[in-house]
Amino acid sequence: MVNLNLGLLSGTKNLKSITVGFRIPYYTQWGQHLLVCGSEPVLGSWNAKKGLLLSPYHQDGELIWSGSVPVPAEFECEYSYYVVDEERNVLRWEVGNKRKLLLPDGTQSGHLVEFHDLWQTGSDGLPFRSAFKNVIFRKSWSLKIERPRGVAHQELHQEDLLADSVGVQFKVCCPNIEEGTSICVIGSPLKLGQWKARGGLKLNYTGESVWQADLEAGSNRETTVDFSHSQPKYVVCSDGLMREMPWRGAGVAIPMFSIRSEEDLGVGEFLDLKLLVDWAVESGFHLVQLLPINDTSVHGMWWDSYPYSSLSVFALHPLYLRVQALSDTIPEDVKQEIEQARLRLDGKDVDYEATMATKLSIAKKIFAQEKEIILNSSSFQKFFSENKDWLKPYAAFCFLRDFFETSDRSQWGSYAHFSEKKLEKLVSTDSLHHEIICFHYYTQFHLHIQLSEAADYARKNGVILKGDLPIGVDRNSVDTWVYPNLFRMNTSTGAPPDYFDKNGQNWGFPTYNWEEMSKDNYAWWRARLMQMAKYFTAYRIDHILGFFRIWELPDHAMTGLCGKFRPSIPLSQEELEAEGIWDFDRLTCPRISRELLEDKFGASWTIIASIFMKEFQKDLYEFKEDSNTEKKIASKLKSSLEKLMLLGIEEKLRQQIFDLLKDIVLIRDPEDPRKFYPRFNMEDTLSFKDLDDHSKNTLKRLYYDYYFHRQESLWRQNAMKTLPVLLNSSDMLACGEDLGLIPSCVHPVMQELGLIGLRIQRMPSEPGLEFGIPSQYAYMTVCAPSCHDCSTLRAWWEEDEGRRQRFFQTFLGSNNSPPDQCIPEIANFILQQHVEAPSMWSIFPLQDLLALKKEYTTRPAAEETINDPTNPKHYWRYRVHVTLEALLKDKDLIAVIKDLVRGSGRSYPSQELEVSELKGTVPEKQQVVADGLEKAPQTNGISRKETVAVL
């Protein structure tokens, strides 16, 4: 388990104090150093500039860093290791929990106590996340503490230790251990059982999944301890996580609104999650994944079905309220209304507007009956006290939105600008509209109760509830009203052209003002994550690339093509001029000739030119001031349709004019006219094709440098400022949606921070592949055959004959024609590829699981798609066509899914199954820290020996 060859320690022994030494193997680059920083002044008080700098030496092919420092008796603290440069600027740090330094009992003045550690990566901290600690491994974490951590056995006290002996303390973290099982250390000496588990050194449980035991090591003739400089009295060997087979699990994904039950009113409801948890457990799943569930009621119409456009990042969506559960004394006429609504709204798809209107109407009737009882209850008072910081602004915003009939706060008169004084006046108990304000409190209170009940049920049944953290908030939201300084309101977020859309995506959210957010250590983000953690034990970070850099568009853009990355290093005018590029007006403005207009619009070109353009040279045109942005063009086009007599082709005409506007090579920075950004896919523009060869070659080189090299260090630094704050804000397990144009810095940072990535087979991150190969996925990934942003497995199979044939040939090695339909055998094969993948998680959309049974494939496959990313006004309304109650009764489908999960080696929810399968695999039900078992390969300088020496 541990190599006890001791290295030279820096510093001298202080006989009037205890000397604490540190030793850690770690590979660094030239100019990098390791230091220890901790909670006490002697280790810098968490100031890396004042930490203990370690010295390097080579031993057995490893680079070892060591150092020592005198400390007083009974000293204790927390500490971590950091990589720094020559000026002690922090380059990276350990991501796991802070280490605890506790001196062994019996340590006396003059003793040297050495701590032998291994570098903690982000993945080392995953077992301490609530998903594992409180759900999957919850029984292990409830073990009885056998003795406090750091306390040595009596036989190792000073009076008992021989002069040439050393007290060795073994520590290992094992978060997943069966009841009645113990951990032992085995080795060649008699005290370690001579490689037999029966006689090994049994470790004691010290809490927080840490196991510990002590041993008196004899003279050098009996041990492999090398005292080349000074002999320690105690060696504390922390061997990180137990080196066992990696834990792997499976889950199901479905949007909250898509769930169907016998009780719901036209849409999935929080209490339906209890049925979904039951089905997940029956089917062998440890996880249920949802889309965002925050309130999106911005427009008061079906546009609000878009779950990623939050009205509030704290408030839950009233859409998911079960009105039947609001009271035990609902009047009979209201009960009848509820039943009628249940039948009326039980359609194929979600009717967003009718469902919202019905639920709010019924909730108001019940509220009128019981408001005094609820609002004066201790449970409501506790909820209000804990949530008032966001709840009061949310209720006030909802009132103003409904009063002014718009969420556009510029139309709210004196309330357009938020202030605490105005807020308190709006929500005061003596205001005329106080009852309306209280209704919004009331709905949030019941949503909290219902979701909390479902979340508790999931935890108790060993199922992780996984939420979704949207990358943006709506421009007209509570958050931008209360904290406008945290957002860049003159911009929009989106994504550059990709698999989904050649014109890129424009999500319409304002980008974040990270500089302003950093001033209070990202308090808004921390509060947001803490709120999520009340209900979820895991979460998906939507578009994690946005924490490295965001695709930023001007607020006058409608499409997503002409953007730039923020932050990024632009091309300066001086840099371009040095390369022989100087005609900036030519490169930043559309080059529109009469010939081009005639070719694009035919005989109608003169009408188009007269409305939107002006001639500035003979047969050369530029856009007029009132038509020089996409939003201006769209507005003018709408008002000019009669004149154009083109009422039937507005969308096509708008896109053609947009194409002219976007035909540029460089984008000038609106805040600094001497800075420029290469337009995405600039080589496709007519403007670029008309350039001379020197300009083309120069701009192509600068383009690839800007998009693929120039920004990497900057983007890494940006992510390392923000992502650790998110991860440390809660103990939820974090997964990152890392699809799209991936900078090379992203995956190393995710690995370092312990973030789990996403792999979709038809959107491989590996260059040159048409299909991802699940058997080659890394462990720190979630693999899935499809997701909410693409077509389902069945639709994907049926929509492209050529791709279907290539897939069939690639994975089945067959030149035969595959079936046109995604029959259950095809679905089973593809799902089996994923469930057998090395990925930590295989998570399957419910639609893909239903494809395993023929009777669930009668609905047209295209109707099962959740989202169409190319359509900014897509209606998010898919509902599963079978109820959860019916799925629970379908034992045939459950049996097929069970067989898939059980045959893959993934963890199965049934504890009885796990115990019975493990019986007989380990002697005497002991998990043994044995020779040759090792973790997956580590990077970032971490040294891990494949074979380890044991005493």
Side-chain angles (χ1 to χ4, degrees):
M1 172 178 137
V2 179
N3 188 331
L4 289 181
N5 293 324
L6 303 178
L8 297 176
L9 294 176
S10 62
T12 59
K13 192 171 182 180
N14 186 340
L15 297 178
K16 294 183 180 180
S17 63
I18 296 165
T19 300
V20 172
F22 301 91
R23 177 188 185 278
I24 185 169
Y26 191 93
Y27 291 113
T28 55
Q29 297 178 1
W30 181 258
Q32 295 180 348
H33 304 272
L34 246 67
L35 59 77
V36 179
C37 190
S39 57
E40 294 297 315
V42 70
L43 291 178
S45 298
W46 296 123
N47 181 352
K49 299 280 187 183
K50 299 178 181 179
L52 173 65
L53 197 65
L54 305 180
S55 300
Y57 65 92
H58 288 276
Q59 178 179 297
D60 297 334
E62 290 189 305
L63 182 63
I64 309 295
W65 292 83
S66 65
S68 64
V69 63
V71 300
E74 300 182 3
F75 177 81
E76 63 179 64
C77 73
E78 292 184 328
Y79 70 98
S80 288
Y81 292 96
Y82 295 77
V83 179
V84 297
D85 62 17
E86 300 284 0
E87 283 75 41
R88 292 202 179 199
N89 297 310
V90 175
L91 302 176
R92 70 175 61 94
W93 58 90
E94 292 187 293
V95 181
N97 292 343
K98 302 296 184 186
R99 300 175 183 271
K100 289 183 172 61
L101 190 157
L102 297 171
L103 296 175
D105 190 20
T107 307
Q108 296 183 8
S109 178
H111 283 172
L112 169 61
V113 180
E114 283 193 349
F115 289 83
H116 291 200
D117 295 317
L118 295 175
W119 182 273
Q120 294 179 161
T121 65
S123 59
D124 291 331
L126 295 187
F128 296 88
R129 295 291 177 178
S130 59
F132 290 108
K133 181 175 70 174
N134 299 334
V135 182
I136 305 298
F137 303 152
R138 66 195 183 285
K139 289 189 176 180
S140 297
W141 278 77
S142 62
L143 292 172
K144 183 179 179 181
I145 294 177
E146 296 171 328
R147 67 187 177 93
R149 192 180 309 177
V151 177
H153 284 309
Q154 287 186 345
E155 63 264 24
L156 295 189
H157 286 182
Q158 169 64 22
E159 58 267 21
D160 297 320
L161 285 173
L162 300 174
D164 63 347
S165 65
V166 178
V168 180
Q169 186 177 97
F170 296 95
K171 291 201 304 184
V172 67
C173 177
C174 183
N176 183 24
I177 186 167
E178 295 299 327
E179 188 176 353
T181 303
S182 60
I183 300 174
C184 66
V185 181
I186 63 173
S188 56
L190 180 63
K191 292 180 180 179
L192 294 181
Q194 296 179 319
W195 296 112
K196 294 180 181 178
R198 189 180 295 275
L201 176 65
K202 181 179 178 296
L203 274 61
N204 298 285
Y205 186 62
T206 65
E208 297 183 11
S209 292
V210 174
W211 298 75
Q212 174 183 311
D214 305 285
L215 175 74
E216 179 187 352
S219 65
N220 287 351
R221 290 191 301 271
E222 298 176 86
T223 70
T224 58
V225 179
D226 174 22
F227 303 130
S228 55
H229 185 229
S230 60
Q231 176 173 330
K233 206 61 183 176
Y234 296 97
V235 176
V236 180
C237 301
S238 299
D239 209 37
L241 279 176
M242 184 82 168
R243 297 164 195 170
E244 54 188 346
M245 290 298 291
W247 187 95
R248 295 157 62 242
V252 58
I254 189 72
M256 189 70 250
F257 57 80
S258 298
I259 294 172
R260 186 189 293 269
S261 77
E262 294 175 2
E263 295 292 320
D264 69 50
L265 265 64
V267 70
E269 297 167 348
F270 287 146
L271 289 176
D272 289 328
L273 290 172
K274 296 169 72 174
L275 286 174
L276 185 57
V277 165
D278 289 341
W279 184 82
V281 172
E282 284 287 315
S283 302
F285 295 135
H286 269 301
L287 181 146
V288 167
Q289 177 172 320
L290 305 175
L291 294 188
I293 55 171
N294 294 109
D295 192 352
T296 59
S297 308
V298 175
H299 304 283
M301 59 180 295
W302 66 264
W303 289 0
D304 296 334
S305 66
Y306 180 30
Y308 287 90
S309 188
S310 306
L311 176 85
S312 165
V313 298
F314 298 100
L316 299 172
H317 206 309
L319 186 69
Y320 306 128
L321 184 69
R322 175 155 294 170
V323 292
Q324 301 96 308
L326 290 177
S327 174
D328 293 329
T329 58
I330 299 176
E332 196 59 37
D333 61 327
V334 177
K335 285 184 179 179
Q336 292 178 12
E337 183 181 352
I338 292 172
E339 179 59 20
Q340 291 168 3
R342 189 183 67 80
L343 297 173
R344 185 178 71 254
L345 296 171
D346 189 26
K348 183 178 71 172
D349 298 307
V350 176
D351 186 333
Y352 182 91
E353 294 171 22
T355 301
M356 274 292 289
T358 300
K359 288 198 173 192
L360 291 176
S361 173
I362 294 171
K364 286 175 182 177
K365 292 176 183 178
I366 302 174
F367 170 71
Q369 170 191 297
E370 62 169 26
K371 60 186 175 185
E372 298 298 332
I373 298 173
I374 295 297
L375 298 179
N376 291 313
S377 67
S378 58
S379 55
F380 174 81
Q381 293 297 329
K382 182 176 184 291
F383 168 77
F384 184 81
S385 175
E386 293 175 352
N387 296 277
K388 60 184 178 183
D389 288 346
W390 66 262
L391 188 56
K392 291 197 292 186
Y394 166 76
F397 187 98
C398 291
F399 165 74
L400 292 168
R401 172 201 62 197
D402 297 341
F403 182 82
F404 288 102
E405 299 182 339
T406 179
S407 292
D408 181 359
R409 59 183 176 274
S410 67
Q411 308 298 312
W412 291 357
S414 63
Y415 290 107
H417 300 287
F418 175 85
S419 75
E420 287 289 343
K421 184 178 180 180
K422 293 174 186 175
L423 173 66
E424 292 304 325
K425 183 179 178 181
L426 273 171
V427 303
S428 64
T429 56
D430 57 356
S431 67
L432 295 174
H433 46 260
H434 185 249
E435 185 169 317
I436 300 174
I437 295 290
C438 286
F439 174 71
H440 296 296
Y441 296 161
Y442 171 83
T443 55
Q444 288 301 311
F445 171 62
H446 278 286
L447 287 162
H448 164 72
I449 288 175
Q450 293 179 15
L451 181 56
S452 295
E453 181 180 332
D456 289 342
Y457 188 82
R459 277 191 289 268
K460 289 173 182 175
N461 283 275
V463 173
I464 294 167
L465 198 58
K466 182 180 177 183
D468 199 319
L469 183 75
I471 187 61
V473 301
D474 199 277
R475 187 174 301 278
N476 295 316
S477 66
V478 182
D479 300 280
T480 58
W481 181 49
V482 178
Y483 307 108
N485 58 315
L486 301 183
F487 304 89
R488 293 172 52 81
M489 297 301 293
N490 62 338
T491 66
S492 286
T493 56
D498 60 6
Y499 174 89
F500 296 119
D501 196 334
K502 65 181 180 64
N503 285 311
Q505 299 175 47
N506 186 339
W507 303 325
F509 314 134
T511 57
Y512 295 119
N513 186 341
W514 290 110
E515 294 77 15
E516 190 67 28
M517 287 179 162
S518 68
K519 292 178 181 177
D520 59 5
N521 194 28
Y522 310 96
W524 180 80
W525 280 103
R526 288 186 284 113
R528 188 177 177 184
L529 268 294
M530 287 189 286
Q531 183 73 8
M532 279 192 76
K534 293 178 180 178
Y535 315 110
F536 298 104
T537 49
Y539 67 107
R540 167 190 178 273
I541 302 175
D542 174 44
H543 193 64
I544 197 172
L545 306 184
F547 293 92
F548 292 79
R549 83 294 183 272
I550 198 71
W551 187 246
E552 185 176 76
L553 301 151
D555 62 350
H556 56 68
M558 294 178 66
T559 63
L561 183 61
C562 289
K564 62 183 176 64
F565 286 122
R566 175 174 289 273
S568 67
I569 304 167
L571 306 175
S572 68
Q573 184 167 324
E574 293 78 11
E575 180 182 4
L576 288 164
E577 287 175 343
E579 296 277 4
I581 306 296
W582 54 269
D583 193 350
F584 300 109
D585 287 341
R586 155 74 176 80
L587 296 170
T588 58
C589 297
R591 187 175 175 82
I592 306 170
S593 65
R594 172 176 173 171
E595 182 182 3
L596 176 60
L597 291 172
E598 289 177 339
D599 180 62
K600 203 170 191 69
F601 301 107
S604 301
W605 81 268
T606 54
I607 303 174
I608 298 295
S610 66
I611 295 173
F612 298 99
M613 300 165 198
K614 59 182 179 182
E615 189 175 17
F616 70 97
Q617 288 183 20
K618 183 171 176 55
D619 293 335
L620 286 177
Y621 294 81
E622 63 184 7
F623 281 97
K624 295 177 180 177
E625 183 68 25
D626 63 359
S627 309
N628 61 1
T629 71
E630 289 180 339
K631 284 188 177 177
K632 289 179 181 178
I633 289 170
S635 175
K636 194 167 186 182
L637 180 62
K638 194 172 288 291
S639 64
S640 305
L641 282 177
E642 277 191 40
K643 184 176 181 181
L644 288 166
M645 294 180 293
L646 295 166
L647 286 167
I649 57 168
E650 178 185 358
E651 187 173 339
K652 178 184 177 183
L653 185 57
R654 182 175 66 232
Q655 190 57 55
Q656 287 177 314
I657 302 173
F658 280 4
D659 289 344
L660 289 176
L661 184 71
K662 294 182 289 191
D663 197 77
I664 57 176
V665 177
L666 296 177
I667 298 169
R668 195 186 294 267
D669 192 316
E671 298 171 10
D672 187 342
R674 297 180 64 83
K675 293 178 179 177
F676 303 88
Y677 306 88
R679 202 214 80 169
F680 201 90
N681 289 344
M682 69 176 187
E683 291 180 55
D684 295 340
T685 65
L686 295 174
S687 183
F688 179 86
K689 292 171 182 175
D690 284 344
L691 292 172
D692 60 88
D693 288 343
H694 166 75
S695 297
K696 284 182 181 177
N697 293 332
T698 300
L699 287 167
K700 279 167 61 175
R701 175 168 47 83
L702 293 173
Y703 174 96
Y704 284 102
D705 180 60
Y706 174 84
Y707 281 103
F708 301 108
H709 301 292
R710 185 185 187 103
Q711 324 293 344
E712 293 295 328
S713 176
L714 174 65
W715 289 344
R716 174 190 161 81
Q717 292 172 18
N718 200 50
M720 292 303 286
K721 290 177 186 176
T722 55
L723 285 174
V725 176
L726 263 70
L727 300 179
N728 294 331
S729 297
S730 76
D731 62 355
M732 292 184 290
L733 177 70
C735 305
E737 184 260 299
D738 53 348
L739 304 177
L741 184 68
I742 310 293
S744 59
C745 62
V746 170
H747 289 149
V749 167
M750 291 182 68
Q751 182 180 25
E752 187 172 340
L753 297 179
L755 279 158
I756 303 166
L758 176 62
R759 299 293 175 268
I760 304 294
Q761 188 171 28
R762 76 191 77 166
M763 292 181 278
S765 55
E766 302 85 0
L769 288 183
E770 183 177 12
F771 309 109
I773 305 173
S775 63
Q776 297 180 8
Y777 291 159
Y779 174 65
M780 290 291 288
T781 57
V782 170
C783 69
S786 65
C787 66
H788 68 274
D789 272 332
C790 61
S791 54
T792 61
L793 171 58
R794 201 157 62 92
W796 171 68
W797 183 266
E798 296 170 10
E799 67 193 7
D800 189 321
E801 180 181 355
R803 188 168 51 183
R804 179 171 67 234
Q805 177 70 57
R806 292 191 298 274
F807 181 91
F808 204 67
Q809 186 172 12
T810 300
F811 288 102
L812 278 81
S814 172
N815 289 318
N816 296 331
S817 296
D820 295 341
Q821 303 297 309
C822 184
I823 58 178
E825 290 78 8
I826 293 292
N828 193 300
F829 172 78
I830 296 175
L831 295 186
Q832 187 171 6
Q833 280 189 307
H834 288 78
V835 81
E836 292 179 352
S839 304
M840 180 189 294
W841 288 101
S842 292
I843 300 178
F844 303 101
L846 183 56
Q847 304 97 301
D848 291 353
L849 294 168
L850 295 181
L852 289 168
K853 192 167 183 181
K854 188 174 182 180
E855 70 180 76
Y856 296 134
T857 61
T858 56
R859 186 174 183 175
E863 293 182 4
E864 294 184 336
T865 299
I866 304 295
N867 177 37
D868 175 7
T870 65
N871 179 7
K873 293 300 181 185
H874 174 73
Y875 197 166
W876 297 63
R877 62 187 314 197
Y878 166 71
R879 293 190 79 196
V880 180
H881 53 287
V882 58
T883 66
L884 289 172
E885 290 88 349
L887 285 178
L888 276 164
K889 294 176 183 177
D890 190 339
K891 301 305 179 184
D892 292 338
L893 177 63
I894 288 173
V896 171
I897 298 172
K898 269 185 178 179
D899 288 343
L900 275 172
V901 177
R902 293 168 92 173
S904 69
R906 291 190 177 271
S907 178
Y908 195 81
S910 170
Q911 293 298 315
E912 291 182 5
L913 173 66
E914 290 177 2
V915 173
S916 65
E917 287 182 343
L918 286 170
K919 281 183 180 177
T921 60
V922 181
E924 297 182 285
K925 288 189 74 181
Q926 289 183 323
Q927 287 179 258
V928 182
V929 183
D931 179 57
L933 292 180
E934 188 52 89
K935 287 184 176 181
Q938 303 290 326
T939 58
N940 296 326
I942 305 159
S943 171
R944 302 266 193 182
K945 285 193 172 181
E946 186 173 343
T947 304
V948 291
V950 184
L951 279 178

